[in-house]
Amino acid sequence: MRRRIFLKLMMVFALVIGVTAITLQITVRKFWEQTLREQIERNLKQKTLMFAQRVETDRQHALVDIAAQEGQAAGTRATVIDSSGMVLADSEADPRTMENHAQRPEFIAALSGHVGIDQRSSHTLGIPFLYVASPVSGGAVRLAYTLSEIETTTRQLSRALLWGSLIAFAAAMLVGGAATQYMAWRLRRIVNFAERVAAGDLTARIASTSGDEIGQVASALDKTARRVEESFASVQTSQRELETLLNSMQDAVIAVDADARVQWANRGMNRLLPWGLRLNAPVADSVRDPYFLSAIQGAMQDHAVRAARSNTIVSGRTFDVTAAPMPGGGAVAVLRDLTETERMEKTRRDFIANVSHELRTPLTSIQGYAETLLDTSSESNHVREFLEIIRKNAARMSRLTEDLLTLARVESGEQRFDIQEVSAGELLQDALESFREVARSNGIELSEENETPSRTVLADREAIHQVFSNLIENAFKYAAAGKKVVLGARAAGLATEFYVSDFGPGISSEHLPRLFERFYRVDKARSRESGGTGLGLAIAKHIVLAHGGTIRAESELNHGSTFVFTLPGANS
């Protein structure tokens, strides 16, 4: 690399110096020739005018003698012609042997009264001359200067310039070589520094005190290395903290790349799989559960969170799988062990069902005996009052146990639903017929709004009737102010949306998320007075969920409440 940098820089220096020398040769030589030619032309013109003046004034010497003397004095060839172009005298040739000069360019100008100048090879001698002619009485005179001396002088100048250029080139190459060696050394330091950083040595540093471009590059790279080291240290710290946090979780966590290959797993995941995980191997090689794999694949394809329930990852254990896409591709999945939670939930349901079942018989007996005593007793009013209290509470406890049993059966899946195609209008009509007399006796207007008379849904008729019953009973309790309850159905995509609306005082927004919890009451005193158990909405919710639908409450204070549930369409 050192030799390559040196040779490249030297080639650049040689090229620059060579171009400079050639340019200097051409420009200096051209300027020298032009300057010398202009000077010769001026001198020759001046001497030609002096020659013409002597021819005009010297009457003592013959023209041949004057031409010979002027030619010798000026170092030129002197010629005299008459107005017809015939040569009268010449300093270097016999005029009688010379041809007519009337058509020579310089003589044409001179015979017309101007100084004529021309450059060409002589017909007589065959060498290049510079000709200058001037008019005289009865003809013209001319001096001819040979240009061979200019060529000789130019060649001497070229040789001098060549030697000077070679000496300058040699000196410049020595200086350029030293500069190139220094630059190559500085660049070599930067390259070595960059290679160390690229190899992972972020502690590498390069000091530069120079302020030129190479020094600025070195300084910038040094700052970059420092910042990269700081950023990498920060990333490593964050990564260690994240790994510690994930390893401390009881839930199992696994991350896969865009090709569904295992990239990382926490200790919980490794404990979960006794056979272990192989990094960079397909996740299907380690976890073959279809629901788990489907959740991961769905998260990567749809770029959305996917959830699933798995019972086959570990035999006898149930996991809640949540898979989320990662920004760079791939997905991360969290497996939460629900085995103990489901066991406790089943124990709770069984306990409630068992207790409710055991309470049914004594409560029925208490209620029956209290009613018998009320029918046959002639005791004082106080005794009858106490018996009535016993009967009412026994009846309330009986309703509570029945609701608890119903809720436990629905939650556990023990209650089987007879799902059939039923029209939305029939479900609404069943509810209206059951509560029309109750509404009339309470002075409440019960009406229907059916926007989908021809729609059919998949439902258990009796179970949905129970949902309507619970919602309508609640509406009757809170419809005293509006005296109106509306039942309705409308399309919601492929599903059908049913609703029960009242025009009572409404429900505060803080209560809406908890309305469907067991025993949750918005107005506890009013619920007890009306004999409610606090389980009606919870039962309705689980029945709707078992049908594959959803249920929600919409309300605003002083504007009534609407309970909405959806059922899947028969053709969805």
Side-chain angles (χ1 to χ4, degrees):
M1 183 196 71
R2 172 185 176 185
R3 188 166 297 175
R4 287 199 302 270
I5 294 174
F6 177 78
L7 290 176
K8 287 180 180 179
L9 290 175
M10 285 300 294
M11 286 174 63
V12 171
F13 274 116
L15 180 63
V16 172
I17 295 170
V19 169
T20 302
I22 293 171
T23 304
L24 188 65
Q25 280 269 11
I26 294 173
T27 55
V28 169
R29 178 176 176 175
K30 185 176 181 181
F31 177 75
W32 169 264
E33 287 181 356
Q34 183 178 356
T35 303
L36 183 60
R37 190 180 300 275
E38 289 175 354
Q39 185 177 0
I40 290 173
E41 186 177 323
R42 285 195 300 271
N43 290 337
L44 189 61
K45 185 177 180 181
Q46 188 176 19
K47 291 177 180 179
T48 302
L49 293 174
M50 293 174 63
F51 178 28
Q53 184 178 9
R54 185 178 177 186
V55 170
E56 289 281 3
T57 58
D58 191 349
R59 303 299 179 191
Q60 297 178 359
H61 297 87
L63 288 177
V64 175
D65 295 334
I66 294 174
Q69 293 174 4
E70 289 296 327
Q72 185 178 2
T76 62
R77 179 182 179 182
T79 305
V80 182
I81 66 171
D82 61 12
S83 58
S84 64
M86 185 175 61
V87 179
L88 301 176
D90 190 271
S91 61
E92 296 183 5
D94 186 357
R96 289 172 295 180
T97 63
M98 296 176 68
E99 61 185 9
N100 191 287
H101 284 39
Q103 299 303 317
R104 305 293 169 86
E106 66 277 9
F107 279 125
I108 292 174
L111 292 175
S112 63
H114 305 289
V115 176
I117 299 174
D118 189 32
Q119 178 183 331
R120 66 181 182 276
S121 293
S122 172
H123 293 290
T124 307
L125 301 177
I127 59 176
F129 277 88
L130 176 64
Y131 297 97
V132 178
S134 177
V136 294
S137 299
V141 298
R142 181 188 70 180
L143 292 180
Y145 184 79
T146 179
L147 296 178
S148 58
E149 293 185 9
I150 296 178
E151 293 179 356
T152 303
T153 306
T154 303
R155 283 196 293 272
Q156 293 175 353
L157 175 65
S158 296
R159 284 195 294 272
L161 285 174
L162 178 61
W163 282 107
S165 297
L166 289 175
I167 295 171
F169 181 80
M173 289 300 293
L174 289 175
V175 175
T180 300
Q181 286 278 30
Y182 177 64
M183 290 175 65
W185 173 75
R186 294 177 68 189
L187 291 173
R188 205 162 51 247
R189 287 181 64 227
I190 294 176
V191 171
N192 293 336
F193 163 76
E195 288 177 347
R196 288 178 61 190
V197 173
D201 183 10
L202 298 181
T203 60
R205 295 292 180 267
I206 180 169
S208 178
T209 57
S210 176
D212 59 9
E213 287 78 2
I214 296 178
Q216 291 174 0
V217 170
S219 178
L221 289 174
D222 190 71
K223 290 179 182 177
T224 302
R226 292 178 188 276
R227 291 177 182 173
V228 169
E229 183 183 19
E230 293 172 0
S231 300
F232 187 71
S234 177
V235 169
Q236 283 187 319
T237 302
S238 299
Q239 184 178 4
R240 286 193 293 268
E241 292 175 352
L242 180 60
E243 288 184 0
T244 302
L245 175 63
L246 293 175
N247 284 323
S248 67
M249 292 174 61
Q250 294 299 317
D251 298 334
V253 182
I254 184 171
V256 299
D257 61 13
D259 297 325
R261 293 180 176 274
V262 178
Q263 296 299 302
W264 187 86
N266 70 343
R267 293 195 188 103
M269 192 71 193
N270 288 317
R271 286 195 301 266
L272 192 63
L273 303 176
W275 54 87
L277 282 167
R278 289 189 301 124
L279 294 180
N280 296 317
V283 66
D285 292 351
S286 302
V287 185
R288 295 182 175 86
D289 181 76
Y291 301 104
F292 169 81
L293 297 175
S294 177
I296 288 182
Q297 196 67 28
M300 290 192 294
Q301 289 179 350
D302 303 335
H303 301 286
V305 178
R306 290 288 178 266
R309 183 68 62 90
S310 171
N311 298 311
T312 61
I313 295 178
V314 178
S315 179
R317 295 171 70 178
T318 302
F319 292 92
D320 180 33
V321 181
T322 302
M326 292 192 295
V332 60
V334 179
L335 289 76
R336 174 163 293 178
D337 192 346
L338 300 179
T339 306
E340 186 64 21
T341 303
E342 289 198 342
R343 187 189 67 79
M344 294 178 65
E345 184 66 19
K346 185 177 184 303
T347 302
R348 180 189 64 79
R349 288 197 302 266
D350 292 344
F351 173 76
I352 292 174
N354 291 333
V355 169
S356 301
H357 182 74
E358 294 298 326
L359 287 175
R360 290 175 71 183
T361 301
L363 285 173
T364 303
S365 298
I366 292 172
Q367 188 177 1
Y369 284 122
E371 290 176 352
T372 302
L373 288 173
L374 281 171
D375 292 339
T376 60
S377 176
S378 58
E379 300 293 335
S380 63
N381 292 334
H382 291 295
V383 173
R384 292 185 64 81
E385 183 181 350
F386 294 152
L387 288 172
E388 183 64 28
I389 292 172
I390 292 172
R391 187 192 66 79
K392 286 182 178 180
N393 282 282
R396 183 171 179 276
M397 290 187 67
S398 180
R399 288 194 303 272
L400 180 60
T401 55
E402 289 295 333
D403 285 350
L404 284 171
L405 278 171
T406 301
L407 182 60
R409 285 195 296 268
V410 174
E411 283 185 314
S412 63
E414 294 177 9
Q415 182 170 340
R416 301 300 176 187
F417 296 104
D418 183 17
I419 305 293
Q420 296 179 356
E421 289 189 21
V422 186
S423 72
E426 289 180 16
L427 295 176
L428 289 176
Q429 285 301 318
D430 287 347
L432 284 168
E433 290 297 328
S434 298
F435 285 91
R436 184 171 282 118
E437 289 301 323
V438 178
R440 186 181 295 113
S441 62
N442 286 280
I444 297 173
E445 178 188 349
L446 184 61
S447 60
E448 175 192 3
E449 294 178 351
N450 187 5
E451 300 176 10
T452 58
S454 61
R455 275 214 170 198
T456 57
V457 295
L458 295 174
D460 183 313
R461 196 162 184 160
E462 293 300 323
I464 298 303
H465 183 73
Q466 185 176 0
V467 173
F468 270 119
S469 298
N470 290 338
L471 297 180
I472 293 171
E473 285 176 359
N474 276 348
F476 281 177
K477 293 173 187 176
Y478 294 97
K483 291 295 182 180
K484 182 179 180 182
V485 173
V486 177
L487 278 66
R490 58 197 174 209
L494 297 176
T496 300
E497 200 170 69
F498 298 88
Y499 58 90
V500 177
S501 298
D502 65 65
F503 297 86
I507 304 170
S508 288
S509 58
E510 66 267 17
H511 297 294
L512 293 178
R514 302 189 60 190
L515 283 178
F516 297 96
E517 293 180 7
R518 301 178 187 88
F519 303 111
Y520 188 81
R521 295 181 177 91
V522 176
D523 187 345
K524 296 180 176 57
R526 185 172 182 177
S527 295
R528 291 194 183 97
E529 288 175 6
S530 61
T533 62
L535 295 173
L537 292 179
I539 293 172
K541 168 189 161 186
H542 286 283
I543 291 175
V544 171
L545 292 178
H547 279 71
T550 60
I551 189 168
R552 68 183 188 276
E554 301 171 353
S555 183
E556 188 177 345
L557 284 178
N558 302 319
H559 289 83
S561 304
T562 300
F563 287 81
V564 184
F565 67 93
T566 60
L567 293 177
N571 298 321
S572 62

